[in-house]
């Protein structure tokens, strides 16, 4: 199973028999010893195991021991968990917009669950980044919309993305070019 950081990986097993019971096991990527999953893991004793995906579990293997009412057991093949690495998959791009129109900047993240977005700006001559607030449409979404005004000519925009685990990723900056007509 390949899953994004901060999500749940789902492993399933199918078995036929009477009075089946299930016991999921895992092995770390560094070892070959198998350990029983505990009640802290959703579905540890059912046909479907749900594992919280985090960086430390990358490469872990999971298998299920199925036992019927007569004590006969069967062990499934092992399945490996691959954790996708979080990254900004689509960076905001420079925008050229006519004065008084709306300009849009977007960002996309792959490999992780997103907890939140916060767009920032800096002026054409400044070096300090400032957080946008609710006065700006999409300031906390994956797409920001700002009105192209003369005062915003040359402004740069970037997004700070907070992942489910609290990690922050910062996008590249994109510049707003405002076109005016005589």
């Amino acid at each position: 199973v390949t899953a994004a950081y901060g999500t749940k990986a789902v492993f399933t097993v199918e078995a036929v028999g009477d009075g089946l019971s299930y016991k999921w096991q895992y092995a770390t990527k560094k070892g070959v010893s198998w350990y029983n999953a505990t009640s802290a893991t959703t579905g540890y004793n059912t046909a479907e195991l749900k594992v919280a995906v985090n960086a430390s579990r990358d490469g872990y293997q999971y298998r299920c021991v199925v036992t019927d009412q007569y004590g006969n057991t069967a062990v499934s093949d092992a399945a490996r968990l691959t954790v996708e690495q979080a990254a900004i998959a689509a960076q905001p791009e420079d925008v050229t917009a006519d004065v008084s129109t709306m300009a849009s900047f977007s960002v996309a993240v792959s490999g992780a669950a997103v907890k939140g977005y916060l767009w920032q700006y800096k002026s054409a001559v400044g070096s300090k980044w400032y957080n946008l607030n609710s006065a700006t449409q999409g300031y906390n979404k994956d797409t920001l919309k700002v009105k192209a005004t003369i005062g915003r000519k040359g402004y740069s925009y970037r997004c700070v993305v907070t992942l489910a685990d609290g990690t922050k990723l910062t996008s590249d900056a994109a510049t707003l070019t405002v076109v005016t007509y005589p």
Side-chain angles (χ1 to χ4, degrees):
V1 173
T2 299
Y5 187 86
T7 63
K8 295 247 183 197
V10 179
F11 297 90
T12 58
V13 66
E14 290 184 28
V16 177
D18 296 324
L20 299 178
S21 64
Y22 303 87
K23 181 180 3 175
W24 284 92
Q25 298 180 323
Y26 68 94
T28 65
K29 61 184 174 183
K30 297 177 184 171
V32 292
S33 297
W34 288 94
Y35 304 96
N36 291 330
T38 66
S39 60
T41 307
T42 304
Y44 75 101
N45 61 353
T46 69
E48 181 178 272
L49 179 72
K50 293 181 181 177
V51 178
V53 179
N54 60 47
S56 67
R57 290 191 175 125
D58 187 39
Y60 273 32
Q61 296 180 69
Y62 295 87
R63 72 180 185 186
C64 190
V65 178
V66 182
T67 305
D68 69 13
Q69 66 184 6
Y70 308 108
N72 300 311
T73 62
V75 180
S76 71
D77 291 339
R80 182 176 309 277
L81 173 61
T82 301
V83 178
E84 293 178 358
Q85 298 304 309
I88 304 271
Q91 298 284 353
E93 296 182 7
D94 293 344
V95 173
T96 300
D98 292 338
V99 70
S100 297
T101 63
M102 296 301 282
S104 294
F105 299 92
S106 294
V107 67
V109 176
S110 66
V114 174
K115 183 176 182 180
Y117 301 90
L118 179 60
W119 285 89
Q120 299 178 322
Y121 73 94
K122 72 176 181 125
S123 70
V125 294
S127 60
K128 185 173 180 182
W129 288 95
Y130 298 95
N131 293 337
L132 290 165
N133 59 37
S134 60
T136 307
Q137 185 179 351
Y139 79 100
N140 63 349
K141 306 271 186 224
D142 60 350
T143 299
L144 173 72
K145 294 186 180 202
V146 294
K147 189 168 187 177
T149 64
I150 298 298
R152 291 188 178 124
K153 187 174 184 178
Y155 270 33
S156 295
Y157 296 89
R158 71 180 185 184
C159 189
V160 178
V161 181
T162 303
L163 305 180
D165 71 344
T167 303
K168 294 184 185 297
L169 302 175
T170 302
S171 74
D172 293 343
T175 303
L176 174 60
T177 301
V178 178
V179 178
T180 58
Y181 296 97

